[in-house]
């Protein structure tokens, strides 16, 4: 830290410390002045309550899950568990591979999760931007529409999943009824049971629920944009679509990247929607559902914890990779 | 290039209570002219400019470019180039891309676009900055880029919306001269909005003084300065502002409201009734003059500007202190008495409504 930037009481001693003699004997040449040391101490003091809280509610369970993943503990035998190393993850025994990484169901869950995440996040990003652009325009009743559009996001997932479950019901569901009366389908479709439609249905409901979130973040970014740039573009006679791709999109990209990170984190851990809409179907099993099944249904705490650890590592790795990739691009363009 | 004509232009903002920003403006701007709209903030000058640009709808009246009514034409169809106060550069594009963005639509190969941009960049001396992003430029450089972006499209009309108000004083003077030089070179019809009277006086072929959505006066800079049409123009143009003294005029005689007795002077105006006498600080004399009104004053404040000294004088003629500009440096004692002389030839007379009263006989010379 440069001493000359220090203000406050220490600043008065500056002429002394600047002279060569002062610099030789002064403590300030060690780098941090007393003032900035004090500021750093204060900062840590402010952070302490949150760090303690997080350590209790996130740090401790996380560490315990890590540990349990290396044991053979079960729900009935939590304390008498043995340490078995990586056996929950992968083990070679009598000519066969065992463990989560050898379980085809796990890989199916990974496939489902990645499929849902990619499709859902891409769709809701595009839709969210579109909705935000509409909400950004001036029209009568805009405030009301802005509030109304948030409703899907405000409803708890359990409630909206149950609601969609009824709407999509193969016998009594309103959606089948609607499509039948429009002659789009000839017989009712079991949307949440049929293996061909079930993943698409989950993506559709997830998109319905989370598009408002993307729209809201995008709208906030749109409102920060300099208005005069758009007037300059109007004067230059540039087509609105070109303005969107050449001006708006590059300028809201930083906000979009953050919104997509949030949504990716959420979508990769998708649980409640699938659990309620399709319960224990293997066709729709996500990695979180897999981990819960092992932990609760099969009461294999050790194996389930190992699966949970893998969920954590997968989500962490994919998100980190995404952040890294997008930030690299930004540094290249020098906009941040 | 084209001439511009305003016929009863109006701008009304609809709302809970309609706000009329521009009220029936008639104006003729000749081809190649440099016209400056000047006025206090909220006078409608920017609105008027944006109506010419096509960024604001025209609520009433007609706007002609040449003999074509452009009321319903888009900004692009009007063929205008605009420079914004905040530069309005695209922050994520390089200087080159900023300038070329508007060109890419028009027919022309990449080569010709490159040539055009580079030529304009050379004129504006920003050719070494073409690869930079706006944030890596200084305020003056950004403004050059903004001007370059407008020029490169070779518009019929240039519009400037307070382009220099974000720059520091010395840069402002420099850019002012450069814009003037640029206009002399390109001879494109230009409309320039400012609240800075020095910019208006120095740059304009024709000044349009606006107040509360109405044109107060149109004229050359010296006309505006020497023959202000009303007290608003007289008070707005010129720094320090004109001194105003309430007077009574009758039968070509001028009576000053003077503490005990009123004194009368013959005046070169035909007017009877309540009036306001105006005289610029630099026209007040300290030496006795023929045909001048002598006034006894007391010095209350002295401001040293280096090249001139401003004396603020209290009198019993008016509540506001009179301001006198004296060239060079003087250091009179505060509180001391001073006799000043208001040459009648330099005085302006405004009637009760504030409109200038025509001078009889010879016209004021500057």
């Amino acid at each position: 830290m440069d001493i000359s930037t220090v203000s406050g009481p220490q600043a008065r001693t500056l002429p002394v410390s600047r002279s060569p003699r002062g610099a030789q004997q002064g403590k300030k040449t060690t780098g941090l002045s007393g003032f900035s040391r004090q500021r750093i101490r204060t900062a840590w003091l402010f952070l302490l309550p949150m760090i303690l809280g997080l350590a209790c509610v996130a740090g401790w369970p996380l560490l315990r899950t890590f540990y349990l993943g290396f044991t053979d503990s079960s729900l009935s035998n939590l304390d008498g568990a043995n340490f078995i190393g990586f056996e929950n993850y992968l083990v070679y025994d009598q000519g066969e591979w065992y463990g989560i990484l050898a379980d085809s169901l796990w890989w199916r869950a990974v496939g489902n999760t990645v499929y849902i995440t990619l499709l859902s996040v891409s769709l809701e990003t595009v839709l969210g931007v579109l909705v935000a652009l509409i909400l950004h325009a001036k029209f009568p009743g805009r405030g009301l529409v802005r509030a109304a559009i948030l409703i899907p996001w405000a409803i708890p997932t359990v409630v909206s999943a149950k609601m969609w479950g009824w709407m999509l019901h193969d016998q009594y569901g309103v959606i089948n009824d609607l499509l039948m009366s429009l002659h789009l389908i000839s017989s009712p479709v079991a949307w949440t049971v049929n293996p061909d439609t079930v993943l698409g249905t989950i993506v559709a409901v997830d998109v319905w629920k989370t598009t408002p979130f993307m729209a809201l973040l995008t709208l906030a970014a749109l409102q920060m944009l300099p208005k005069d740039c758009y007037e300059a573009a109007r004067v230059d006679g540039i087509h609105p679509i070109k303005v969107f791709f050449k001006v708006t999109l590059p300028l809201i990209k930083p906000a979009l990247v953050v919104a997509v990170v949030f949504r990716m984190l959420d979508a990769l851990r998708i649980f409640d929607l699938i659990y309620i809409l399709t319960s224990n179907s293997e066709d729709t099993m996500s990695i979180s559902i897999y981990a819960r099944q092992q932990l609760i249904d099969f009461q294999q705490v050790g194996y389930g914890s190992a699966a949970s650890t893998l969920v954590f590592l997968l989500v962490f790795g994919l998100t980190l990779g995404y952040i890294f990739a997008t930030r690299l691009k930004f540094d290249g363009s020098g906009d941040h | 290039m084209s001439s511009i004509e305003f016929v009863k232009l109006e701008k009304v903002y609809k709302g809970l209570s309609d706000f009329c920003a521009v009220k029936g403006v008639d104006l003729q701007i000749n081809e190649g002219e440099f016209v400056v709209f000047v006025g206090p903030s909220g006078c409608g000058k920017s609105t008027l400019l944006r109506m010419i640009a096509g960024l604001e709808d025209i609520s009433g009246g007609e706007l002609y470019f040449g003999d074509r009514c452009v009321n319903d034409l888009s900004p692009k169809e009007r063929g205008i180039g605009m420079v914004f106060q905040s530069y309005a550069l695209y922050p994520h594009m390089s200087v080159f891309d900023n300038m070329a963005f508007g060109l890419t639509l028009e027919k022309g190969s990449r080569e010709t676009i490159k040539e055009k941009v580079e030529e304009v960049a050379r004129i504006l001396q920003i050719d070494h900055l073409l690869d930079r992003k706006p944030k890596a430029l200084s305020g003056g450089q950004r403004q050059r880029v903004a001007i370059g972006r407008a020029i490169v499209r070779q518009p019929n009309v240039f519009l400037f919306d307070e382009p220099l108000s974000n720059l520091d004083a010395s840069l402002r003077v420099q850019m002012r001269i450069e814009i003037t030089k640029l206009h002399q070179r390109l001879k494109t019809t230009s409309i320039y909005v400012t609240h800075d009277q020095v910019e208006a006086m120095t740059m304009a072929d024709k000044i349009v003084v606006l107040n509360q959505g109405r044109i107060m006066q149109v004229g050359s800079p010296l006309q505006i300065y020497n023959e202000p049409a009303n007290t608003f123009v007289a008070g707005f143009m010129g720094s320090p502002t004109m001194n105003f003294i309430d007077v009574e005029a009758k039968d070509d005689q001028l009576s000053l409201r003077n503490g005990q007795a009123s004194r009368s002077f013959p005046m070169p105006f035909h007017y009877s009734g309540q009036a306001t006498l105006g005289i610029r600080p630099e026209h007040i004399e300290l030496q006795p003059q023929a045909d001048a009104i002598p006034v006894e004053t007391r010095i209350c404040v002295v401001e040293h500007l280096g090249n001139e000294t401003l004396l603020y004088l209290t009198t019993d003629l008016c509540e506001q202190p009179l301001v006198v500009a004296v060239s060079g440096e003087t250091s009179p004692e505060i509180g001391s008495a001073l006799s000043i002389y208001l040459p009648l030839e330099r005085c302006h007379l405004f009637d009760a409504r504030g409109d200038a009263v025509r001078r009889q006989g010879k016209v004021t010379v500057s």
Side-chain angles (χ1 to χ4, degrees):
Chain A
M1 175 168 190
D2 189 353
I3 287 171
S4 62
T5 62
V6 174
S7 57
Q10 302 291 332
R12 246 174 274 137
T13 63
L14 275 182
V16 182
S17 64
R18 267 201 197 130
S19 72
R21 236 185 65 199
Q24 271 165 19
Q25 54 183 225
K27 267 203 288 184
K28 293 182 183 69
T29 50
T30 54
L32 294 176
S33 67
F35 183 61
S36 56
R37 265 204 301 274
Q38 191 193 326
R39 285 179 58 146
I40 290 167
R41 249 200 321 274
T42 316
W44 277 109
L45 215 62
F46 276 119
L47 284 174
L48 198 64
M50 199 184 71
I51 291 171
L52 280 178
L54 275 180
C56 289
V57 301
W60 167 243
L62 197 66
L63 286 176
R64 195 169 153 78
T65 306
F66 274 145
Y67 166 74
L68 284 172
F70 293 112
T71 67
D72 62 355
S73 64
S74 61
L75 205 55
S76 55
N77 183 21
L78 268 181
D79 300 325
N82 301 311
F83 188 80
I84 56 167
F86 282 94
E87 278 184 28
N88 282 331
Y89 294 92
L90 197 63
V91 65
Y92 191 71
D93 188 28
Q94 296 172 352
E96 289 241 34
W97 289 99
Y98 293 96
I100 299 165
L101 293 173
D103 186 353
S104 64
L105 190 59
W106 162 258
W107 289 112
R108 182 152 188 199
V110 170
N112 284 341
T113 310
V114 171
Y115 176 86
I116 292 170
T117 302
L118 284 183
L119 211 59
S120 169
V121 174
S122 338
L123 280 174
E124 70 208 24
T125 305
V126 174
L127 287 175
V129 170
L130 281 176
V131 170
L133 285 173
I134 294 167
L135 292 183
H136 190 52
K138 271 190 189 140
F139 58 89
R142 178 170 70 164
L144 205 69
V145 179
R146 278 188 183 173
I149 205 108
L150 278 176
I151 289 173
W153 179 250
I155 298 174
T157 313
V158 179
V159 177
S160 58
K162 211 68 198 157
M163 180 184 89
W164 276 99
W166 272 109
M167 281 164 62
L168 292 161
H169 196 275
D170 52 348
Q171 285 170 29
Y172 313 112
V174 65
I175 289 176
N176 273 326
D177 187 54
L178 197 73
L179 292 175
M180 294 268 285
S181 59
L182 288 172
H183 300 291
L184 289 171
I185 51 173
S186 50
S187 57
V189 178
W191 298 102
T192 56
V193 182
N194 188 335
D196 295 333
T197 57
V198 68
L199 271 184
T201 305
I202 286 172
V203 168
V205 175
D206 197 45
V207 167
W208 172 84
K209 182 183 158 48
T210 51
T211 297
F213 173 77
M214 294 300 279
L216 201 67
L217 288 197
T218 312
L219 184 62
L222 285 175
Q223 285 171 340
M224 299 287 289
L225 294 184
K227 275 203 190 80
D228 46 11
C229 278
Y230 290 90
E231 295 194 330
R234 262 178 77 193
V235 168
D236 285 351
I238 294 156
H239 194 274
I241 290 177
K242 190 178 174 190
V243 172
F244 173 75
F245 282 106
K246 294 280 182 153
V247 180
T248 308
L249 207 54
L251 290 178
I252 62 168
K253 209 161 117 192
L256 271 188
V257 166
V258 173
V260 167
V261 168
F262 282 155
R263 276 300 305 142
M264 261 182 71
L265 278 168
D266 263 0
L268 285 170
R269 294 174 304 152
I270 186 167
F271 174 79
D272 36 9
L273 181 66
I274 297 174
Y275 187 71
I276 289 165
L277 218 51
T278 67
S279 27
N280 282 334
S281 163
E282 284 185 8
D283 295 324
T284 58
M285 183 173 276
S286 73
I287 48 178
S288 295
I289 301 253
Y290 178 90
R292 192 211 70 93
Q293 194 179 48
Q294 300 299 335
L295 265 169
I296 311 294
D297 292 352
F298 305 154
Q299 308 203 345
Q300 294 178 328
V301 173
Y303 193 85
S305 294
S308 301
T309 306
L310 280 179
V311 171
F312 168 73
L313 289 177
L314 202 72
V315 173
F316 190 65
L318 283 174
T319 313
L320 213 63
Y322 172 78
I323 292 175
F324 191 64
T326 45
R327 181 167 294 171
L328 266 185
K329 239 190 236 164
F330 285 148
D331 284 351
S333 66
D335 276 332
H336 290 256
Chain B
M1 268 183 264
S2 71
S3 60
I4 302 175
E5 193 180 352
F6 301 38
V7 181
K8 299 208 165 27
L9 267 196
E10 293 216 344
K11 177 71 195 178
V12 180
Y13 288 104
K14 297 276 178 207
L16 289 177
S17 57
D18 291 357
F19 173 68
C20 195
V22 173
K23 300 165 189 163
V25 166
D26 291 303
L27 184 66
Q28 170 76 39
I29 295 171
N30 299 324
E31 196 168 313
E33 238 176 354
F34 197 106
V35 175
V36 174
F37 290 176
V38 67
S41 34
C43 70
K45 57 190 191 296
S46 280
T47 311
L48 203 52
L49 192 80
R50 292 167 58 83
M51 284 160 78
I52 302 168
L55 293 171
E56 298 276 355
D57 293 332
I58 294 169
S59 316
E62 279 124 43
L63 177 66
Y64 291 93
F65 280 22
D67 35 12
R68 195 161 64 127
C69 178
V70 296
N71 275 34
D72 298 321
L73 294 189
S74 72
K76 157 117 174 123
E77 290 165 316
R78 297 184 190 192
I80 49 147
M82 186 155 172
V83 179
F84 295 83
Q85 178 180 356
S86 53
Y87 321 128
L89 298 177
Y90 308 112
H92 58 292
M93 291 186 198
S94 69
V95 168
F96 181 90
D97 289 338
N98 259 291
M99 289 170 67
F101 194 44
L103 284 179
T104 46
L105 282 181
E106 286 150 30
K107 278 171 209 143
S109 64
R110 207 166 285 176
E111 302 287 283
T112 49
I113 289 175
K114 194 160 180 268
E115 262 171 42
K116 273 187 185 174
V117 170
E118 281 174 353
E119 192 203 326
V120 169
R122 254 195 310 279
I123 294 172
L124 292 164
Q125 296 158 15
I126 47 172
D127 40 348
H128 59 295
L129 305 171
L130 286 175
D131 297 329
R132 293 218 199 150
K133 291 270 168 63
K135 69 166 183 191
L137 303 178
S138 68
Q141 287 168 335
R142 281 180 210 182
Q143 196 51 270
R144 278 167 210 263
V145 176
I147 293 170
R149 186 173 64 180
I151 293 175
V152 81
R153 288 178 48 242
Q154 296 174 313
N156 297 326
V157 179
F158 266 135
L159 305 176
F160 298 89
D161 190 4
E162 308 206 20
L164 306 185
S165 44
N166 283 2
L167 303 180
D168 63 52
S170 65
L171 207 55
R172 211 179 294 170
V173 175
Q174 196 189 329
M175 285 302 291
R176 197 171 78 199
I177 295 164
E178 288 194 28
I179 292 176
T180 307
K181 266 164 49 186
L182 203 66
H183 177 251
Q184 282 162 1
R185 179 177 177 156
L186 300 171
K187 298 203 167 46
T188 309
T189 313
S190 303
I191 302 175
Y192 187 106
V193 161
T194 183
H195 60 258
D196 186 275
Q197 45 163 309
V198 180
E199 278 174 28
M201 292 294 290
T202 51
M203 300 172 85
D205 294 325
K206 188 193 267 179
I207 293 181
V208 178
V209 185
L210 289 152
N211 188 33
Q212 296 182 343
R214 285 205 174 84
I215 291 183
M216 291 284 116
Q217 190 174 2
V218 180
S220 73
L222 287 180
Q223 258 175 346
I224 298 271
Y225 185 79
N226 290 325
E227 298 157 37
N230 46 48
T231 45
F232 176 80
V233 176
F236 188 75
M237 301 298 286
S239 174
T241 56
M242 188 182 275
N243 296 298
F244 292 112
I245 302 165
D246 290 336
V247 294
E248 178 101 28
K250 202 178 179 188
D251 304 332
D252 298 352
Q253 290 284 312
L254 204 65
S255 316
L256 298 178
R257 178 176 66 89
N258 205 335
Q260 295 82 24
S262 66
R263 290 177 294 169
S264 292
F265 300 91
M267 60 168 189
F269 302 99
H270 254 323
Y271 183 73
S272 285
Q274 287 290 329
T276 306
L277 187 77
I279 183 155
R280 296 202 181 272
E282 58 271 33
H283 292 157
I284 295 178
E285 299 286 345
L286 298 183
Q287 305 302 323
Q289 302 257 320
D291 291 338
I293 306 170
V295 180
E296 296 304 319
T297 67
R298 221 160 260 288
I299 299 170
C300 68
V301 175
V302 179
E303 285 181 346
H304 296 283
L305 298 179
N307 62 334
E308 59 177 9
T309 307
L310 302 182
L311 307 177
Y312 290 76
L313 312 168
T314 50
T315 68
D316 46 11
L317 295 178
C318 52
E319 274 147 39
Q320 294 290 322
L322 292 181
V323 187
V324 180
V326 186
S327 64
E329 294 173 34
T330 52
S331 293
E333 202 181 318
I334 308 268
S336 61
L338 187 71
S339 298
I340 59 169
Y341 302 89
L342 319 179
L344 281 166
E345 200 184 323
R346 296 289 202 178
C347 286
H348 304 266
L349 193 72
F350 303 98
D351 64 19
R353 284 170 48 217
D355 292 329
V357 178
R358 278 289 195 89
R359 184 174 284 274
Q360 294 294 300
K362 60 181 177 180
V363 181
T364 325
V365 282
S366 60

